[in-house]
């Protein structure tokens, strides 16, 4: 029985480590690996209200991407499933899209450096102000 439990633990650890490549990457590298090259629309969704803001003007898209593309993402050691998120972002490249939250990309949890949260929150609030 102990061997069986040990085997399950070992396989579980292997699967968790296989899900994360363990290396730090920029956000730009991550979305370009997903074949997102020419971003023509960005949607930012507030996780607490469900409201979302779309960015379709190329100048605004470029400004937002310039703010976040060089942020470094490092996989967290703890990959246990979590509930909820602050902001979700979807990048569109024609018909292709890349969706992520501030701390999760493709079912992997990350730490961002610098912290992406205040950058996205400030930009989102700026979009709200422009709408009024």
């Amino acid at each position: 029985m102990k061997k069986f439990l040990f085997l399950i633990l070992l396989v579980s650890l292997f699967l968790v480590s296989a899900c994360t490549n363990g290396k730090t990457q920029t956000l730009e590298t991550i979305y370009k690996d997903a074949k997102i090259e020419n971003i023509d629309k960005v949607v930012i969704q507030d996780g607490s209200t469900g409201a979302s803001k779309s960015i379709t003007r190329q100048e605004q898209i470029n400004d937002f991407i310039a703010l976040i593309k060089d942020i470094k993402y490092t996989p967290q050691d703890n990959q246990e499933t979590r509930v909820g998120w602050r902001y979700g972002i979807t990048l569109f490249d024609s018909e292709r899209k890349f969706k992520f939250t501030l701390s999760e990309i493709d079912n992997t949890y990350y730490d961002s450096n610098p912290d992406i949260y205040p950058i996205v929150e400030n930009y989102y609030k700026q979009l709200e102000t422009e709408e009024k």
Side-chain angles (χ1 to χ4, degrees), residues 83-125:
V83 177
W85 41 271
R86 291 176 168 179
Y87 289 96
I89 300 171
T90 306
L91 307 177
F92 292 86
D93 179 352
S94 297
E95 297 298 315
R96 203 174 291 126
K97 65 182 178 179
F98 180 73
K99 189 172 186 171
F100 62 100
T101 68
L102 303 186
S103 62
E104 181 185 5
I105 302 172
D106 290 334
N107 297 317
T108 300
Y109 295 98
Y110 292 90
D111 289 318
S112 59
N113 187 17
D115 186 5
I116 192 172
Y117 173 71
I119 296 167
V120 173
E121 182 177 56
N122 290 337
Y123 201 86
Y124 187 84
K125 287 180 178 178

Side-chain angles (χ1 to χ4, degrees), residues 30-131:
I30 295 169
Y31 68 72
K32 285 194 173 193
D33 283 349
K35 307 291 187 240
I36 301 297
E37 297 289 333
N38 301 309
I39 300 167
D40 52 22
K41 181 179 176 183
V42 176
V43 175
I44 304 172
Q45 185 176 15
D46 184 329
S48 61
T49 66
S52 63
K53 306 290 177 202
S54 295
I55 308 167
T56 55
R57 287 188 22 233
Q58 197 60 51
E59 182 181 326
Q60 283 183 311
I61 292 169
N62 293 344
D63 289 345
F64 180 68
I65 296 302
L67 292 171
I68 66 170
K69 70 183 181 86
D70 293 324
I71 293 175
K72 292 182 173 49
Y73 273 76
T74 304
Q76 295 178 354
D77 292 334
N78 180 356
Q79 290 294 318
E80 292 179 36
T81 303
R82 291 127 205 209
V83 177
W85 41 271
R86 291 176 168 179
Y87 289 96
I89 300 171
T90 306
L91 307 177
F92 292 86
D93 179 352
S94 297
E95 297 298 315
R96 203 174 291 126
K97 65 182 178 179
F98 180 73
K99 189 172 186 171
F100 62 100
T101 68
L102 303 186
S103 62
E104 181 185 5
I105 302 172
D106 290 334
N107 297 317
T108 300
Y109 295 98
Y110 292 90
D111 289 318
S112 59
N113 187 17
D115 186 5
I116 192 172
Y117 173 71
I119 296 167
V120 173
E121 182 177 56
N122 290 337
Y123 201 86
Y124 187 84
K125 287 180 178 178
Q126 179 184 332
L127 290 171
E128 284 182 323
T129 303
E130 290 174 6
E131 287 180 352

